[in-house]
Amino acid sequence: MTLNDSVRARLKDAVGAKGFSEDANEIAPHLVEWRGKYQGQTSLLLKPRTTDEVSKILAICNETATAIVPQGGNTGLVGGQIPFYGEVLLSLSRLDRVRRVDPLDMSMVAEAGVVLAKVHEAAVEADCFFPLSIASEGSATIGGNLSTNAGGVDVLRYGSTRALVLGVEVVLADGRVLDMLRTLRKDNTGYDLKQLFIGAEGTLGVITAAALRLFPNPTTYETAFLAVRDPEAAVTLLHRLQRATGGLISAFEIIARQGLQFVLDHIPNATDPLAKPSSWYVLTEVAAAGELPLKGLVEATIQTAIEDGLVIDGVVASREAQRKALWHLRESMSEAQKFEGGSIKHDVSVPVDKIPAFLTQGIALVEKLVPGVRPVPFGHIGDGNIHFNFSVPKDGDNKAFLARWDDVSRAVHDLVRDFHGSISAEHGLGVMKRDEILRFKSETEMDVMRTLKRTLDPKNILNPGKVV
Amino acid sequence: MTLNDSVRARLKDAVGAKGFSEDANEIAPHLVEWRGKYQGQTSLLLKPRTTDEVSKILAICNETATAIVPQGGNTGLVGGQIPFYGEVLLSLSRLDRVRRVDPLDMSMVAEAGVVLAKVHEAAVEADCFFPLSIASEGSATIGGNLSTNAGGVDVLRYGSTRALVLGVEVVLADGRVLDMLRTLRKDNTGYDLKQLFIGAEGTLGVITAAALRLFPNPTTYETAFLAVRDPEAAVTLLHRLQRATGGLISAFEIIARQGLQFVLDHIPNATDPLAKPSSWYVLTEVAAAGELPLKGLVEATIQTAIEDGLVIDGVVASREAQRKALWHLRESMSEAQKFEGGSIKHDVSVPVDKIPAFLTQGIALVEKLVPGVRPVPFGHIGDGNIHFNFSVPKDGDNKAFLARWDDVSRAVHDLVRDFHGSISAEHGLGVMKRDEILRFKSETEMDVMRTLKRTLDPKNILNPGKVV
């Protein structure tokens, strides 16, 4: 796709001298997905500074049927943010103002380009808390978070990004601005239009700002790393702890020994918190603002679970440094896997109580397809989301292993379907799963999705080729 | 509107002998809104028993451009469920099966016609909890709750109905069935279509079943009735209590003395919990499953608030009967108002921290318009939603007072706009506020709403004339 000269000139004019780049060196980092899995191309990067500039850009694109790809922090994992065919690239990173933080209303209004870590900081400065927590929070932007309905470790307690959004400002495909930056908890005045744009991966409109819910800042954490008998014991423990604490669990993660071993082998300052190895572990955190005596409740629940044979051994962090060390293990899982050669990854979810059966059957399935494969499942068992990863067999051939990706994924996804699960729990569809999803959604559901796309973006200028 | 004979015959045939009624006596109660505010008309009531029958009905209606109005428990307050022009009436009340309750997955699948109280019972039988709590729960159906995104007293803690829905089954205008009854907590595979139908008041599709989130059943309640200095003190107390309990407040209601007085004067078994009258009261409840020692925290927070002059006096329920008596006062507010003659009502929300200023200015405004008017504001201050009601002046003329409705509402709604609030916090638009909303939403927002309506219901057969 080549950009017509007069369109190029109009777009540049709309944002001014600082608002664009045609410099291949400046553009390059925007074109490659951070793991190197996707490589795009474009000759024009737009960097608007205001919603009004975004509006002008889209009006021009719509009028001239010019395709455009919105991009936040470029941390997406499914290629949704990459211009594959020379589309104009629209970086929202200069829309980076926190417009308002209101601790009495427990709300914040932030522009799309504000980095998630900055949202956290702004909340804490007001003695509040914004719960969305993902590994890429130092680069990911709140606009990207909304567009992908980002998940992360706190979903069990606070929900995905969708649950944290009170309002949005969106520029429609034709450049009109939908200002819905309300901070109301209750507003039943017609269709809840913001829901259309959350999780739509920039294909139905461009989110330029968001009104976010804030929460009381937790002041107490009880963090435990536990060796559990098996995944079934983990699910039982989840329910017991949830009931004991009245639903205050903020994270409940499962880790297989193989993954922990990779971390211990490759990541600096990683040490095994427990004396003996175990096949399965749980990392859980209960958090509260206020003076609730969580420690006793958590420890009593664990003690009973030990007596019942669900938990074999465990440690509860007694100070912040220990808590951070435990989380360091969990957060290094993806990184550690890289040292062990190629890996085939899945981001799936199933109903929480089905996780044990899914893990057993799924591991057996892939081991049969690729003898010697090393399963490294881990993730947010508390909300049913497993990063169902597999590393190349020890001393196996990377290339041959990765050539099995489609094979393995097809089998894993079919199993997910048997369990009424999702083949993209938190990463979205992007280009990676755009075609694969056709095997899972009904024709009616796909048809309604396509109809919405045609209705809101009739010229198909917004992130074409993604999602639908 | 008269129904063509052949269409009538096809519709009757689609549901069988037990599935329809043309008996005016049977139909009558479906045509009148329970307060008598709206009166509809129809010659055909359809009572399908299955999703498949609903599908057949809508296919026929769409093919023949026959208008149809879905109805649940007929408890709506804005006329959304009433066929005003002889439309076919579609009662979902025979779709009344709880298809599945799964305490390990913490989910339930219920058909649209299941009464909310039955949803509660089914949850409790599985030692779980479904939080949606509204005064009409003995008649309102879960399908109606979803279609209106019902609110109620527990929104502060659990969110509106939308937040409690994991999946839906919807029949589209053309009769196609969208089966999206997933129970996943995380599923980012394209547009979240269920959001379109929640809160759409039956104008975009007919919800036939819902997958619902369940929660641990609370086992401890701390319920307090407090005389507070003023609404500002109430908001300050809300924040303190929320922080002290780590966000475990499930209800935080404000009550003006006038409203309490009406209850004491007219409702049997209502007694003032406190020795001296106060201008403003708060009824709050903190709830938890598990063994959290809430009592001490709640009492300590109240004690400090008394010392700081925020709370004047108060009582914490020491047993279940006392707790029920306190809730009885709050739940009798609407009923008691009837004994005092006509009332003009508003269901508005503003950002929580703006409630004190809104109350002061709003009351002054209406008192100026109608000297002697008796303000009876009460409601869910915890989530910013006030039922901003006014009773006719003492010994005033009802008819003359009610003739001021539009006047008063216009002024109140304009004030709501100044505070960036909503003119329908939880009741919806229906017919009552369909035109009024035009003064508040941008033309762009209304245009996108209308576009969605045309796209999903091109022949305008679904609840025509409601919402948009």
Side-chain angles (χ1 to χ4, degrees):
Chain A
M1 214 174 90
T2 34
L3 189 60
N4 170 299
D5 281 347
S6 93
V7 175
R8 179 185 298 270
R10 288 177 64 191
L11 288 170
K12 285 156 67 171
D13 192 49
V15 291
K18 285 186 181 167
F20 69 88
S21 174
E22 295 172 300
D23 171 359
N25 287 328
E26 185 184 344
I27 295 175
H30 291 272
L31 297 178
V32 59
E33 186 255 11
W34 64 277
R35 296 165 310 182
K37 195 170 171 71
Y38 298 103
Q39 173 68 52
Q41 49 174 314
T42 189
S43 61
L44 180 61
L45 168 68
L46 295 177
K47 306 180 288 179
R49 176 92 174 121
T50 64
T51 301
D52 188 51
E53 287 180 357
V54 176
S55 166
K56 284 179 183 155
I57 290 168
L58 292 197
I60 295 167
C61 285
N62 195 55
E63 184 201 321
T64 59
T66 303
I68 185 162
V69 175
Q71 186 178 86
N74 192 16
T75 61
L77 296 167
V78 292
Q81 75 279 24
I82 303 293
F84 287 95
Y85 307 104
E87 301 96 319
V88 173
L89 186 58
L90 176 67
S91 169
L92 280 304
S93 60
R94 289 211 310 150
L95 271 90
D96 62 354
R97 281 150 294 223
V98 173
R99 291 191 192 162
R100 185 153 49 82
V101 183
D102 188 341
L104 283 180
D105 188 40
M106 297 298 266
S107 68
M108 178 192 305
V109 175
E111 293 182 346
V114 178
V115 169
L116 178 54
K118 293 229 165 185
V119 171
H120 290 163
E121 282 166 26
V124 168
E125 272 169 32
D127 195 21
C128 293
F129 175 61
F130 183 68
L132 181 63
S133 175
I134 55 178
S136 57
E137 60 198 38
S139 312
T141 62
I142 197 70
N145 299 150
L146 264 74
S147 292
T148 57
N149 187 28
V153 295
D154 275 359
V155 171
L156 178 60
R157 171 85 165 272
Y158 297 97
S160 294
T161 300
R162 187 181 301 278
L164 307 174
V165 177
L166 296 168
V168 293
E169 180 186 82
V170 174
V171 181
L172 297 173
D174 60 11
R176 286 181 299 168
V177 179
L178 260 184
D179 176 359
M180 305 184 297
L181 282 176
R182 308 176 186 109
T183 64
L184 304 171
R185 265 61 179 177
K186 273 180 168 176
D187 180 20
N188 277 346
T189 52
Y191 311 147
D192 191 0
L193 299 183
K194 67 176 175 290
Q195 306 294 349
L196 275 172
F197 304 99
I198 299 169
E201 305 183 36
T203 62
L204 299 180
V206 175
I207 295 172
T208 48
L212 305 171
R213 279 179 77 184
L214 301 180
F215 294 81
N217 207 2
T219 51
T220 322
Y221 296 95
E222 294 301 330
T223 310
F225 187 89
L226 308 168
V228 293
R229 191 190 63 205
D230 52 28
E232 202 174 337
V235 172
T236 306
L237 180 65
L238 166 69
H239 282 90
R240 288 188 183 184
L241 193 57
Q242 199 68 301
R243 285 181 185 267
T245 62
L248 294 181
I249 304 178
S250 54
F252 198 94
E253 304 278 311
I254 197 166
I255 299 170
R257 176 69 201 183
Q258 185 66 271
L260 179 65
Q261 193 61 53
F262 287 174
V263 172
L264 298 175
D265 289 348
H266 301 293
I267 304 293
N269 303 316
T271 52
D272 194 333
L274 302 178
K276 286 186 194 167
S278 162
S279 297
W280 295 97
Y281 301 91
V282 159
L283 175 62
T284 183
E285 187 160 283
V286 180
E291 295 146 40
L292 294 170
L294 296 176
K295 197 172 178 67
L297 283 175
V298 171
E299 290 181 348
T301 305
I302 293 172
Q303 190 52 46
T304 309
I306 290 176
E307 285 157 19
D308 294 346
L310 302 172
V311 171
I312 299 155
D313 192 10
V315 56
V316 178
S318 58
R319 51 187 204 287
E320 182 61 17
Q322 196 181 6
R323 174 179 170 242
K324 287 208 167 121
L326 295 178
W327 274 109
H328 181 55
L329 298 173
R330 165 66 185 83
E331 283 159 1
S332 303
M333 306 277 319
S334 287
E335 181 66 20
Q337 236 193 310
K338 288 187 195 165
F339 292 91
E340 291 285 338
S343 53
I344 297 176
K345 300 185 173 190
H346 310 87
D347 167 41
V348 302
S349 66
V350 296
V352 177
D353 57 315
K354 299 298 188 304
I355 284 186
F358 172 79
L359 286 172
T360 305
Q361 293 178 40
I363 289 171
L365 191 72
V366 178
E367 282 178 338
K368 201 172 160 196
L369 282 172
V370 186
V373 74
R374 293 174 296 169
V376 196
F378 65 94
H380 323 299
I381 185 172
D383 52 46
N385 179 196
I386 295 289
H387 297 300
F388 199 52
N389 296 357
F390 292 87
S391 280
V392 60
K394 189 111 186 116
D395 307 318
D397 178 58
N398 262 332
K399 214 174 146 190
F401 177 65
L402 291 175
R404 304 295 305 277
W405 190 300
D406 288 351
D407 254 22
V408 170
S409 279
R410 177 168 268 263
V412 167
H413 289 171
D414 283 345
L415 186 66
V416 166
R417 175 166 52 194
D418 293 345
F419 282 98
H420 305 286
S422 167
I423 65 161
S424 190
E426 57 177 15
H427 296 163
L429 294 177
V431 289
M432 189 193 226
K433 297 176 186 171
R434 187 199 58 186
D435 296 329
E436 178 73 351
I437 196 64
L438 299 175
R439 301 203 298 121
F440 298 89
K441 298 238 183 204
S442 70
E443 188 44 46
T444 307
E445 195 167 347
M446 290 308 303
D447 185 56
V448 176
M449 281 174 55
R450 290 188 200 109
T451 301
L452 288 175
K453 170 68 174 172
R454 276 193 304 268
T455 302
L456 289 168
D457 179 20
K459 296 192 178 175
N460 194 26
I461 61 164
L462 290 173
N463 218 359
K466 315 289 166 59
V467 185
V468 288
Chain B
M1 215 174 91
T2 33
L3 190 60
N4 173 299
D5 281 346
S6 92
V7 175
R8 179 185 297 270
R10 287 177 66 191
L11 288 170
K12 284 154 69 170
D13 192 50
V15 290
K18 286 188 181 163
F20 69 88
S21 175
E22 295 172 302
D23 171 0
N25 287 329
E26 185 184 344
I27 295 175
H30 292 273
L31 297 179
V32 59
E33 186 254 11
W34 65 278
R35 297 163 310 181
K37 197 172 169 72
Y38 299 103
Q39 173 68 53
Q41 49 175 313
T42 190
S43 61
L44 182 62
L45 169 68
L46 296 176
K47 306 180 288 181
R49 177 92 174 119
T50 63
T51 302
D52 187 50
E53 288 180 356
V54 177
S55 164
K56 284 178 183 154
I57 291 168
L58 292 196
I60 296 167
C61 286
N62 194 56
E63 184 200 321
T64 58
T66 303
I68 185 161
V69 175
Q71 187 179 85
N74 192 17
T75 60
L77 295 167
V78 292
Q81 74 279 23
I82 304 292
F84 286 95
Y85 308 103
E87 302 96 318
V88 172
L89 186 58
L90 176 67
S91 169
L92 280 305
S93 59
R94 290 210 309 149
L95 272 90
D96 62 354
R97 281 151 293 223
V98 173
R99 292 190 192 162
R100 183 154 50 83
V101 184
D102 188 341
L104 283 180
D105 187 39
M106 296 299 267
S107 68
M108 178 193 304
V109 175
E111 293 182 346
V114 178
V115 168
L116 179 54
K118 293 230 166 185
V119 171
H120 289 162
E121 283 165 25
V124 167
E125 271 170 32
D127 196 21
C128 293
F129 175 60
F130 184 67
L132 181 63
S133 175
I134 56 179
S136 58
E137 61 198 38
S139 312
T141 60
I142 197 70
N145 298 151
L146 263 74
S147 292
T148 57
N149 187 29
V153 294
D154 275 359
V155 171
L156 177 61
R157 171 85 165 272
Y158 297 98
S160 294
T161 300
R162 186 182 300 279
L164 307 174
V165 178
L166 296 168
V168 294
E169 179 186 83
V170 174
V171 181
L172 297 173
D174 60 11
R176 285 182 299 167
V177 179
L178 261 183
D179 176 359
M180 305 184 295
L181 282 176
R182 308 176 187 109
T183 64
L184 304 171
R185 266 62 180 174
K186 274 181 167 174
D187 179 21
N188 277 345
T189 51
Y191 311 148
D192 191 0
L193 299 183
K194 67 175 175 291
Q195 307 293 348
L196 275 171
F197 304 98
I198 299 169
E201 303 184 38
T203 62
L204 299 180
V206 175
I207 295 172
T208 48
L212 305 170
R213 278 179 78 184
L214 300 179
F215 295 81
N217 207 3
T219 50
T220 321
Y221 297 94
E222 294 302 328
T223 310
F225 187 88
L226 308 167
V228 293
R229 191 189 64 205
D230 52 26
E232 200 174 337
V235 172
T236 305
L237 180 65
L238 167 68
H239 282 90
R240 288 188 183 184
L241 193 57
Q242 199 68 299
R243 284 180 187 269
T245 62
L248 293 182
I249 304 178
S250 54
F252 198 92
E253 305 280 308
I254 196 164
I255 299 170
R257 176 70 199 182
Q258 186 66 271
L260 180 64
Q261 193 61 53
F262 287 174
V263 172
L264 298 175
D265 290 347
H266 301 294
I267 303 293
N269 303 317
T271 52
D272 194 334
L274 302 177
K276 288 188 195 166
S278 161
S279 297
W280 295 96
Y281 302 90
V282 160
L283 174 62
T284 183
E285 187 161 283
V286 180
E291 295 146 42
L292 294 171
L294 296 176
K295 197 173 178 65
L297 283 175
V298 171
E299 290 183 348
T301 305
I302 294 172
Q303 190 51 47
T304 309
I306 290 177
E307 286 158 18
D308 294 347
L310 301 172
V311 171
I312 299 155
D313 193 9
V315 55
V316 179
S318 59
R319 53 189 202 287
E320 183 61 15
Q322 196 182 5
R323 174 181 169 241
K324 286 206 167 122
L326 295 178
W327 273 109
H328 181 55
L329 298 173
R330 165 65 185 83
E331 282 160 2
S332 303
M333 304 279 318
S334 287
E335 182 65 19
Q337 235 191 312
K338 288 187 194 164
F339 293 89
E340 291 284 338
S343 54
I344 297 177
K345 302 186 171 188
H346 309 87
D347 167 42
V348 302
S349 66
V350 296
V352 178
D353 58 316
K354 300 297 189 305
I355 283 185
F358 173 79
L359 286 171
T360 306
Q361 294 179 40
I363 289 171
L365 191 71
V366 178
E367 283 177 338
K368 202 173 160 196
L369 282 171
V370 187
V373 74
R374 293 174 296 169
V376 195
F378 65 94
H380 323 298
I381 185 173
D383 52 48
N385 177 197
I386 294 290
H387 297 301
F388 199 51
N389 295 358
F390 293 86
S391 281
V392 61
K394 188 111 186 116
D395 306 319
D397 178 58
N398 261 333
K399 213 174 148 191
F401 177 65
L402 291 175
R404 305 294 304 278
W405 190 302
D406 288 352
D407 255 24
V408 171
S409 279
R410 179 167 269 261
V412 167
H413 289 171
D414 283 346
L415 186 66
V416 167
R417 176 167 49 196
D418 293 346
F419 282 99
H420 305 288
S422 166
I423 65 162
S424 191
E426 56 177 16
H427 297 162
L429 294 178
V431 289
M432 189 193 227
K433 298 177 185 170
R434 186 199 57 187
D435 296 330
E436 178 72 353
I437 196 65
L438 300 176
R439 302 202 297 120
F440 297 89
K441 298 239 183 202
S442 71
E443 189 43 47
T444 306
E445 197 168 344
M446 289 308 303
D447 185 57
V448 176
M449 281 173 55
R450 290 189 200 108
T451 301
L452 287 175
K453 170 69 176 171
R454 276 195 303 270
T455 301
L456 289 169
D457 179 20
K459 296 192 179 178
N460 194 26
I461 61 163
L462 290 172
N463 219 359
K466 315 292 166 56
V467 185
V468 288

